[in-house]
């Protein structure tokens, strides 16, 4: 893992897990009650799962994708999935929209518009992210850490981005003590 500075924020699994729970604590302490968590896949999947468990509310998943160019480092056109995945019923009531970070703010803004246009049963939406970059055009309702220098965030699960099936045995072996 690298060293964090103004350009890069390196996050360990412990830091990541503490940040998700810290964000959950902030939402809880606000007093705002919500009926469902809607996480944005892929970045919001892990926090969404944890929030759903802690707050004991249903989890809904909406897939979005915008990082496509320069090996995922440059934001391209935003794609929003047509359907929301959930176990029963449909999205409605008070919804906590959850993602890992807000960078430009485009995803958060467009998804909120998408919800207003397509899900009339949703009465209120508040947003929560772990990291809020200063460059964002929108501010989420809740964020765990504000990043004034807009660093690239290196999350602990990114090591899987370059791991391929044929490398699994060697990857598992590297952690064994001989």
């Amino acid at each position: 893992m690298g060293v964090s500075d103004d350009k890069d924020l390196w996050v360990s699994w412990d830091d990541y897990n503490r940040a998700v729970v810290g964000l959950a604590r902030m939402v809880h302490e606000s007093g705002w009650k919500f009926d469902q968590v809607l996480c944005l896949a892929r970045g919001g999947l892990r926090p969404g799962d944890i929030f759903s468990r802690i707050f004991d509310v249903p989890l809904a998943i909406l897939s979005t994708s915008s990082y496509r160019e320069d090996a995922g480092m440059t934001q391209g056109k935003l794609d929003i999935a047509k359907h929301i995945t959930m176990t029963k019923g449909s999205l409605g009531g008070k919804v906590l929209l959850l993602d890992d970070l807000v960078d430009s703010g485009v995803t958060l803004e467009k998804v909120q518009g998408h919800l207003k246009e397509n899900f009339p049963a949703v009465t209120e939406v508040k947003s929560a992210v772990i990291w809020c970059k200063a460059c964002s055009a929108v501010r989420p309702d809740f964020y765990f850490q504000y990043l004034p220098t807009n660093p690239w965030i290196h999350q602990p699960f990114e090591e899987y981005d370059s791991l391929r099936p044929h490398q699994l045995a060697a990857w598992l072996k590297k952690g064994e003590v001989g």
Side-chain angles (χ1 to χ4, degrees):
M1 185 155 47
V3 177
S4 292
D5 57 26
D6 285 351
K7 289 186 170 75
D8 293 278
L9 175 64
W10 294 88
V11 182
S12 70
W13 277 111
D14 283 345
D15 293 339
Y16 182 85
N17 291 326
R18 265 194 294 281
V20 173
V21 173
L23 180 61
R25 180 180 176 188
M26 291 173 77
V27 172
H28 169 70
E29 289 178 350
S30 79
W32 188 64
K33 304 279 190 242
F34 51 95
D35 305 306
Q36 296 172 315
V37 172
L38 174 61
C39 69
L40 299 182
R42 294 189 308 192
L45 283 171
R46 287 171 184 86
D49 174 52
I50 294 167
F51 269 62
S52 176
R53 292 169 189 271
I54 291 173
F55 291 98
D56 194 25
V57 296
L59 175 64
I61 302 166
L62 177 62
S63 291
T64 62
S65 179
S66 60
Y67 286 96
R68 293 280 172 84
E69 301 158 23
D70 299 328
M73 304 278 284
T74 303
Q75 192 167 17
K77 180 176 129 335
L78 178 68
D79 294 325
I80 298 175
K82 193 173 187 174
H83 302 286
I84 291 176
T85 301
M86 45 195 311
T87 53
K88 59 179 147 181
S90 60
L91 202 63
K94 294 181 178 182
V95 175
L96 179 66
L97 177 59
L98 189 59
D99 205 354
D100 57 349
L101 62 96
V102 64
D103 195 337
S104 68
V106 169
T107 300
L108 208 53
E109 196 170 46
K110 292 207 172 174
V111 167
Q112 286 175 320
H114 176 76
L115 295 176
K116 273 188 187 136
E117 288 173 26
N118 299 292
F119 296 90
V122 173
T123 57
E124 186 178 5
V125 177
K126 288 197 177 186
S127 56
V129 300
I130 301 168
W131 300 285
C132 177
K133 293 187 180 185
C135 61
S136 176
V138 297
R139 282 280 180 281
D141 297 289
F142 306 99
Y143 51 90
F144 181 74
Q145 187 177 11
Y146 180 76
L147 302 171
T149 61
N150 307 307
W152 185 260
I153 302 166
H154 302 271
Q155 298 188 51
F157 42 82
E158 288 176 2
E159 68 179 322
Y160 302 120
D161 289 344
S162 59
L163 181 63
R164 296 298 169 254
H166 70 277
Q167 299 167 314
L168 291 171
W171 187 87
L172 288 166
K173 201 171 187 89
K174 79 177 180 184
E176 294 176 6
V177 178

